[in-house]
Amino acid sequence: MRSPRVVKPLIGISCCTKQFGIFGMPNHAASNTYVEATDQILHAVPVLIPANGPTADIETLLQRLDGIMLTGSRSNVHPSYYDGPPHAEGTWEDMARDSTTLPLIRAAVARGVPVLAICRGFQELNVALGGTLHQRLQDLPGKIDHSTPMHPSARVRQGKAHSMRVVPGSWLHRIARASEIAVNSLHNQGIDQLAPGLVAEGFAPDGQIEAVRVIDAPGFAVGMQWHPEYDWETDPVSRRIFEAFAEAVHSRTGLSAAAD
């Protein structure tokens, strides 16, 4: 007699609105790297969350999803959400995504649904909880250039770009098992004022916040400015970040990640 198949958790992956094809048709899209990490490390089912703005049903999403992964993107969080100045001309924006993810973050954190926020998602986490952003770190005195290297090789674009100081005793310190790690860097925006309820867990050499955790959250809720989904197969710290997220998801659902 066959044993019943274990039902895997569902992980919501935030999408952007992008135009594809010769006619520029609008699509909802997320990078395959997040899907692969969900499949291979979380042992969960990836579910793409469309950027459908005011029609997004946050309540239904959180009733069905067992974890939320907030993705990186070329677009920047719209400054109207944190009372910032208008973006420079040519800056990519995606207000349909903003109006989906920001209320989703607040509701997910409050409910204890595990949240892993990466790059743009890291910035969204800060804005959703009341923080502000720098729009172009490379234009600020004393800041290093955190932007994507314009190089045809993905290995160069996604490779380690700078060191990061890990806060002693933090969640990230337990994950990294080191006081300093190397990270990639593919962003223009960065945290300016840290949101109430967030604590910084890591800093770039220029003092820029690179990792955060939601204080007193009822569930797993962390964010990082870099992209661990690019190198989890070769970087132990990146892999352990996803393993910690997986543990939180499976613990909440009562399932064992190793048994799936």
Side-chain angles (χ1 to χ4, degrees):
M1 181 176 178
R2 295 178 62 184
S3 59
R5 183 177 181 274
V6 175
V7 176
K8 294 181 178 180
L10 301 179
I11 303 298
I13 300 174
S14 60
C15 286
C16 300
T17 56
K18 295 184 178 180
Q19 294 181 330
F20 292 127
I22 59 174
F23 299 113
M25 295 291 291
N27 285 256
H28 299 270
S31 171
N32 183 54
T33 53
Y34 303 101
V35 172
E36 288 185 339
T38 301
D39 284 336
Q40 300 181 42
I41 307 181
L42 273 64
H43 303 294
V45 176
V47 177
L48 301 188
I49 302 174
N52 55 343
T55 62
D57 189 333
I58 303 301
E59 179 63 25
T60 296
L61 287 171
L62 294 182
Q63 284 183 9
R64 304 292 180 84
L65 297 175
D66 302 302
I68 304 291
M69 193 183 306
L70 299 160
T71 63
S73 175
R74 184 176 180 182
S75 66
N76 286 358
V77 178
H78 197 276
S80 63
Y81 288 101
Y82 55 90
D83 294 327
H87 280 143
E89 185 177 354
T91 301
W92 285 57
E93 298 173 346
D94 191 345
M95 293 188 73
R97 169 167 170 159
D98 296 333
S99 57
T100 303
T101 56
L102 298 181
L104 177 64
I105 289 167
R106 289 187 286 267
V109 169
R111 187 170 297 195
V113 176
V115 173
L116 179 64
I118 296 172
C119 198
R120 190 196 206 273
F122 168 82
Q123 297 156 9
E124 290 169 335
L125 178 63
N126 189 56
V127 171
L129 299 183
T132 66
L133 300 176
H134 293 302
Q135 294 180 2
R136 286 177 55 86
L137 291 171
Q138 60 268 40
D139 294 343
L140 300 179
K143 297 292 186 182
I144 63 176
D145 188 351
H146 291 257
S147 61
T148 306
M150 298 307 293
H151 194 282
S153 169
R155 180 174 297 181
V156 173
R157 293 194 307 273
Q158 300 170 4
K160 304 302 186 185
H162 61 74
S163 63
M164 191 194 73
R165 176 174 59 85
V166 180
V167 174
S170 64
W171 172 84
L172 182 60
H173 189 250
R174 295 193 298 274
I175 293 295
R177 304 172 190 173
S179 59
E180 187 174 294
I181 60 174
V183 297
N184 52 43
S185 189
L186 301 97
H187 60 105
N188 294 301
Q189 292 193 126
I191 288 179
D192 181 7
Q193 295 296 318
L194 186 65
L198 289 182
V199 61
E201 301 237 329
F203 297 88
D206 59 3
Q208 188 61 39
I209 297 173
E210 290 275 329
V212 297
R213 176 177 55 86
V214 181
I215 307 169
D216 298 329
F220 182 99
V222 301
M224 58 279 318
Q225 183 60 84
W226 71 94
H227 289 263
E229 79 281 5
Y230 283 155
D231 61 2
W232 59 265
E233 293 182 285
T234 58
D235 186 279
V237 176
S238 294
R239 185 176 188 93
R240 287 196 292 269
I241 287 170
F242 283 107
E243 288 174 343
F245 182 43
E247 182 180 357
V249 168
H250 286 266
S251 294
R252 189 172 188 270
T253 60
L255 300 174
S256 168
D260 290 346

